[in-house]
Amino acid sequence: MRDTQRPSITYVLASDVGQDRLGARVRFAYEGETLNDEGVVRHEDGRKEIVLRYGTPSEMTRRKLVTLVRNIVKSAKSSGEKRIILSLDDLYGRCSSRMVSDPTDLVSLVITNIEMANYEFVAYKSKPKDGWKFLEEVVFVGTVRFMDGIGHGRLVGNGVNLMRDLGNTPAFDLTPRRLAFEAELASTGLPVKFRALGVEEMQTLGMGGVLGVGVGSVNKPCFVIMEYMAGPPDEKPIVLVGKGVTFDTGGISIKPSEGMEEMKLDMLGGASVIAAIVTAARLGLKKNVVALVPAVENMPSGSAIRPGDVLTSLSGKTMEVLNTDAEGRLILADALAYAGKFYDPRLVVSVATLTGAACVALGTHASALFAADDAIAATMTLLAEESGDYVWRMPLWEEYDDEVKGAVGDVRNTGKSGRYGGAIAAAKFLEKASVITHPWAHIDMAPRMTSADGDHLAKGAAGDPVRLLVRLLERYTA
Amino acid sequence: MKYTFTPKALKNKDIATVTLATTASDVTVRTSDGRTVIELGVGKREEMTRRKLVNVIRKIVSLAKAANKKKVALDFFDLVFPHLHMTPTELGEMLSTNLEMANFEFVKYKSKPKEGWSTLAEVVVLGKLGSDVEKAVRKGKMIGEEVNKTRALANTPGGAMTPAILAQSAAEAAEGLPITTTVLGVREMEELGMGAVLGVGRGSDEEPKFIVMEYFGGMPDEKPVVLVGKGVTFDTGGLNLKSDTNMYEMHMDMSGGAAVIHALSLAAKLKLQKNVVALVPAVENMPSGSSYHPGDVLQGMSGKTVEVLNTDAEGRVILSDALCYAQKYKPRLVVDVATLTGAIHVALGAHASGLFTKDEELEGYFRKLGEESGDYLWPMPLWDEYESEIRGTFGDWANTGKSRYGGAINAALFLYQFTKDEKGKEAYPWVHLDIASRMTSADGEYLAKGAAGTPVRLLIKLLERF
């Protein structure tokens, strides 16, 4: 990947900053105070302030706190301010216990969101004469109780931004092999075992889904395997599976040209699980984690698969391809089968920009969550709410089984009702094609592929659900 | 359909006896003495679920029809699955409700075949049953019949179902029952300032109507439950005309209205001691020289303005007036039912309606009612984050979202604005059911093609219990 041209932010915790006048101080508006436009206010005596409104106690929520923090960064950046001073003592005093659990939680949330809001993808842009408007230093005013969350928040934020960098990198520079290389690079120096299977190894194993989808591109497919085993040897791992379609043209069932440029982001599920396992290792979590990424490019060509072709998955199930643009589920079926075959996971989570139907269903503010198990769904929903990567559960009822029954093969890769219930049919396909028997949750992150209005994040990859995955690795106990 | 109860098996040759078998497939056996026995394969009995049982019951009808039988006999206790924890009365009600639903076909516009219609005429329920079970079967029959009336109303072609006819049908449904039916015409709606209903109705030669049905069977001081149903008797989309494939079946765009009309008349028939109101804004959405236009700003009864970005998002516009009208009853609950968005169909496929409410307790309560009644629901988000989608540029609220995504959520959030009083406070607890995904029957549920009759079963359970 190219140089990101982003400086890393220095965080300072001070009990008192006295008359420090470098940078802008963040202050919350007094009751009745009228606010000017966003941005930094300069006083005649040289003081600079960022004044924002903090909601009334009854209307403030954790969600609004996230927005508030991002707004601070946005204000600083819009005025080219590189240093801000923020009182954590003040902020913590305003937060109710249902918003943040303790000082560490607050600091981690604040820093993660500062990192996310500071992010812009400028790797392919020329540096302006007056430089980039990134924040460089944040001075926190607060007691030592806020110390512990700083490192955590930064590592999580960096993990999210790693995923966004991978996603925003054009497909020309991020082929399947290149994605594998970046995953290896990110895990260098960490106790993460990296491996990538090539075409021949996948042929030996019988991964017909990945091979079939990848066969149309000159950029050969590969299968990334990352293992971070820092937990007790007898603890079953959590296996994260991420869709890594480095560019999705739709293949022979080619997509319309409008919006196709965003299809470089169709590997964000893969990038999320790579970022999550790397972050887990950086945090030194005492857990066993595996990340699997089937990486392919979906291209129309003389060698591409066609509608009507039947592929055999690693699971042994035959998959009838009715639409080559429903390719994500074909490669994920192999990966999920791999997870069951070579590990004995206590939980498998698949993450994928899988369906447009999930976007139609949920708009741009929540990823779709599928889990047959109510307890898993409840845990994931709770962790999602805490992390800021919001999800909404969708049904996986037996009534939908029929949608993916094949005529020529065991399963068909699009639902019989076409676009109706499309996200559900995709989840059903994964269930049936991979023959998954381990506890499983599936996140269709297509609605959260790019940042939404009101997120206060740079255009491009939004970063979901890296925070959720990290939190899951930290907290999941079943 | 006639139901008879007898403790012991019958030997009549004209009756098909249905038994449940643990096989996977169904077999029809002709015994040596000339009787017909239908073995309905249900697989392992311990794997039966409440949802599957509904389909098993309905399948009885389709197998009997296939065997050319007008009468079936079945052992009630064959249908008892102890692990489902259903009371005999609950099962009795479920049995007849679903037999009625499965026996329904909309043949009004078809010529009668020489051999007559293949519908079932009689069900003999075998087993030593208490009178309470027989009563439950009779009640279930009433519920099933009312569901079928809803389906018949919804199936009626647009040419034969105008707002005036829908109003007339409401009056007929209330006939002989202690229900007050009032139909507001254009002038009355003008006086009330219902600019939203009037705006949508403007393009059609058929004048819009606002149907008000009141059944006060409860205590005089008990606040009512208000049911609101979308009554677009035909939806062409208006000037934003639908494509030919999307326009098919749009005569059913009054399914929500039909459901609340019949839920209310069923409540009266069952003599529920509750106060219930049904409101149906009835319009036809047509493109013509007098149609409302994209860009028009309509002022409804609430005083808030609606910016029309798409004339085909008309359901929420007429419902906005109805939700405001509902406030005058100071209701303890308002439930609106509408075939509102294609997006809910994309979201949920054909097996669930979308459930929207800000109240988590009501969400859980309705989901449970959905499972018990068979009108299955799935909750959808009503988060504040989506509100920016529908903020208007030239009016208070826009009738479509800014992006093409989350259409069902945007529609629900639009409606939510009109459940607030003039001070911006929620005027009543509110639940919105987007039934577009369940407008017609789905494959595999053993119902005739056409209107599915949702969510009458759910609404009657609600009215009984809430």
Side-chain angles (χ1 to χ4, degrees), chain B residues 276-296:
Chain B
V276 190
V277 176
L279 304 175
V280 182
V283 299
E284 189 179 42
N285 188 20
M286 296 293 263
S288 74
S290 58
S291 293
Y292 76 137
H293 319 81
D296 280 358

Side-chain angles (χ1 to χ4, degrees), chain A residues 63-64 356-357 359-366 390-395 397-400 419-422 424, chain B residues 51-52 342-343 345-352 371 376-381 383-386 405-407 409:
Chain A
R63 288 186 176 204
K64 287 186 178 154
C359 303
V360 176
L362 296 176
T364 54
H365 298 290
Y390 311 125
V391 300
W392 190 267
R393 191 183 182 192
M394 297 287 283
W397 296 340
E398 260 178 51
E399 279 81 353
Y400 297 97
R419 54 199 289 269
Y420 297 128
I424 303 170
Chain B
R51 288 184 172 210
K52 282 188 197 158
H345 199 176
V346 175
L348 299 177
H351 298 289
E371 290 304 315
Y376 310 127
L377 303 175
W378 190 265
M380 295 290 287
W383 297 343
D384 296 342
E385 278 83 351
Y386 295 93
Y405 297 132
I409 303 169

